[in-house]
């Protein structure tokens, strides 16, 4: 199946956006010895898009920087009982070195996960970079480019949360939706149209799983009254105008959604992989939401092209990172 036109157009647009950013963003790669990472970094540098920093397992940073990062990590984690000696050992691990470089302002973002698991990558980001002010829920979003450009924003959609929060409660679901709306606005460069997905549309089924989504909608409307959001909606009602008009008449979201919020990680993760494998979509991510500064994950099955795209988006995220 051919690569969707929406994917190529999206990446080209992000590259052009990044060319206008000055100075060039410094993106650190903790898995700098991986051949895919090397190839992506070389291309990013050749295209004059970012300043890549590649870390190696045994020769990451100099002794002076290592001491600085160990001190920073100790200050951030001392309340959790970590000792200075333990902090000095932790910063020898490239994932943590990369995350601490971002935290210290020595890099603008990091991209890891080509070799390390999502759990390892997210843990380093949480412990070293930390969350943005007032954020309680760190989540993730995949960006999907589908074959049919009538869906979403010219064939582009955000899916969340498909990688981190396993079974969000109503408050967490609301926070995921608000964070993903910001991702849609800042990265897809589109006004978010947010659908809270369920197996029910507007009371067509009764269950505690439906109640969770209904309560999340109430919280979102209270916290973000200007956000264009609706739920609970079945996937077809969210995406197809005729179905949306039939199942949810009067909804400003049904049939128009570009931001899909799943009620749990199982449904979200399954949906991403089905759309990608059966529908011929291209997925990028997961991109972490709610961190103080950009730190993003990769699939261990990623290609150099995937790493290239993720680095471009990470650099753009740093433009919108919380102050």
């Amino acid at each position: 199946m051919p690569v969707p036109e929406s994917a190529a157009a999206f990446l080209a647009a992000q590259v052009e956006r990044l060319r206008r950013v000055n100075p060039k963003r410094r993106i650190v790669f903790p898995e700098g010895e991986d051949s895919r990472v090397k190839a992506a970094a070389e291309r990013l540098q050749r295209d004059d898009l970012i300043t890549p920093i590649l870390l190696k397992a045994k020769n990451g940073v100099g002794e002076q920087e290592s001491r600085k990062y160990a001190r920073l990590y100790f200050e951030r984690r001392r309340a959790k009982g970590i000792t200075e000696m333990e902090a000095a050992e932790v910063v020898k691990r490239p994932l943590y070195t990369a995350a601490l470089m971002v935290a210290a302002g020595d890099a603008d973002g990091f991209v890891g996960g080509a070799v390390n698991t999502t759990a390892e990558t997210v843990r380093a980001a949480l412990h070293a970079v930390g969350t943005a002010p007032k954020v309680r829920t760190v989540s993730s979003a995949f960006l999907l480019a589908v074959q049919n450009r009538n869906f979403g924003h010219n064939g582009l959609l955000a899916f969340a949360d498909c990688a981190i929060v396993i079974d969000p409660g109503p408050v967490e679901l609301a926070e995921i939706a608000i964070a993903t709306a910001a991702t849609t606005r800042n990265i897809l460069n589109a006004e978010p149209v947010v659908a809270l997905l369920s197996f029910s549309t507007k009371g067509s089924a009764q269950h505690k799983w439906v109640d969770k989504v209904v309560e999340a909608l109430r919280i979102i409307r209270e916290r973000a009254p200007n956000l264009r959001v609706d739920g609970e909606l079945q996937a077809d009602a969210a995406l197809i105008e005729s179905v949306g008009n039939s199942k949810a008449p009067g909804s400003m979201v049904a049939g128009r959604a570009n931001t899909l919020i799943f009620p749990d990680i199982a449904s979200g993760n399954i949906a991403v992989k089905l759309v990608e494998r059966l529908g011929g979509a291209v997925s990028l991510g997961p991109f972490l939401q709610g961190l103080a500064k950009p730190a993003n994950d990769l699939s261990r099955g990623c290609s150099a092209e995937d790493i290239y795209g993720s680095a471009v988006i990470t650099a753009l995220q740093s433009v919108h990172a919380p102050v």
Side-chain angles (χ1 to χ4, degrees), residues 1-7 145-148 273-282:
M1 196 173 288
V3 173
E5 291 180 6
S6 55
V146 299
Q147 297 283 349
N148 188 339
K273 295 183 187 304
L274 287 176
V275 172
E276 183 180 16
R277 299 301 180 180
L278 296 181
V282 168

Side-chain angles (χ1 to χ4, degrees), residues 134-279:
K134 300 180 180 179
V135 168
R136 292 186 298 175
T137 303
V138 171
S139 60
S140 69
F142 279 89
L143 305 180
L144 273 84
V146 299
Q147 297 283 349
N148 188 339
R149 300 189 74 172
N150 291 321
F151 288 122
H153 175 65
N154 298 321
L156 300 167
L157 302 103
F159 282 36
D161 180 1
C162 311
I164 295 181
V165 185
I166 293 175
D167 185 17
V171 172
E172 290 174 308
L173 198 59
E175 291 172 345
I176 290 166
I178 293 169
T180 310
T183 295
T184 296
R185 184 178 289 112
N186 295 333
I187 303 303
L188 294 187
N189 204 26
E191 191 58 30
V193 183
V194 183
L196 304 182
L197 299 182
S198 177
F199 64 89
S200 167
T201 297
K202 295 298 182 180
S204 64
Q206 304 296 318
H207 194 275
K208 63 181 180 180
W209 294 347
V210 177
D211 296 340
K212 176 175 79 170
V213 177
V214 172
E215 176 63 9
L217 178 64
R218 185 195 67 77
I219 295 168
I220 296 167
R221 286 179 169 166
E222 185 178 274
R223 295 188 182 184
N226 296 323
L227 184 61
R228 190 173 169 186
V229 58
D230 203 4
E232 83 281 12
L233 296 171
Q234 290 165 284
D236 56 353
L239 294 169
I240 300 171
E241 188 172 5
S242 60
V243 179
N245 290 338
S246 173
K247 291 186 174 183
S251 172
M252 293 298 292
V253 170
R256 305 172 181 86
N258 58 22
T259 306
L260 304 183
I261 307 302
F262 293 84
D264 56 70
I265 196 173
S267 56
N269 191 274
I270 291 166
V272 166
K273 295 183 187 304
L274 287 176
V275 172
E276 183 180 16
R277 299 301 180 180
L278 296 181

Side-chain angles (χ1 to χ4, degrees), residues 85-102:
M85 288 184 63
E86 288 169 335
E89 287 301 312
V90 166
V91 300
K92 293 178 182 178
R93 296 153 60 182
L95 271 179
Y96 283 84
T97 305
L100 287 160
M101 289 179 72
V102 175

Side-chain angles (χ1 to χ4, degrees), residues 45-109:
Q45 191 160 36
R46 186 170 62 249
D47 291 349
D48 198 30
L49 292 175
I50 68 168
T51 300
I53 304 168
L54 274 63
L55 299 183
K56 297 181 179 180
K58 293 185 179 179
N59 299 305
V61 294
E63 186 176 338
Q64 184 175 347
E65 289 86 357
S66 184
R67 286 200 300 267
K68 179 176 75 170
Y69 298 145
R71 185 67 190 172
L72 176 59
Y73 189 74
F74 172 68
E75 291 298 333
R76 290 187 172 227
R77 301 294 294 172
R78 64 192 304 177
K80 300 293 185 181
I82 194 169
T83 67
E84 290 184 86
M85 288 184 63
E86 288 169 335
E89 287 301 312
V90 166
V91 300
K92 293 178 182 178
R93 296 153 60 182
L95 271 179
Y96 283 84
T97 305
L100 287 160
M101 289 179 72
V102 175
D106 296 335
D108 298 298

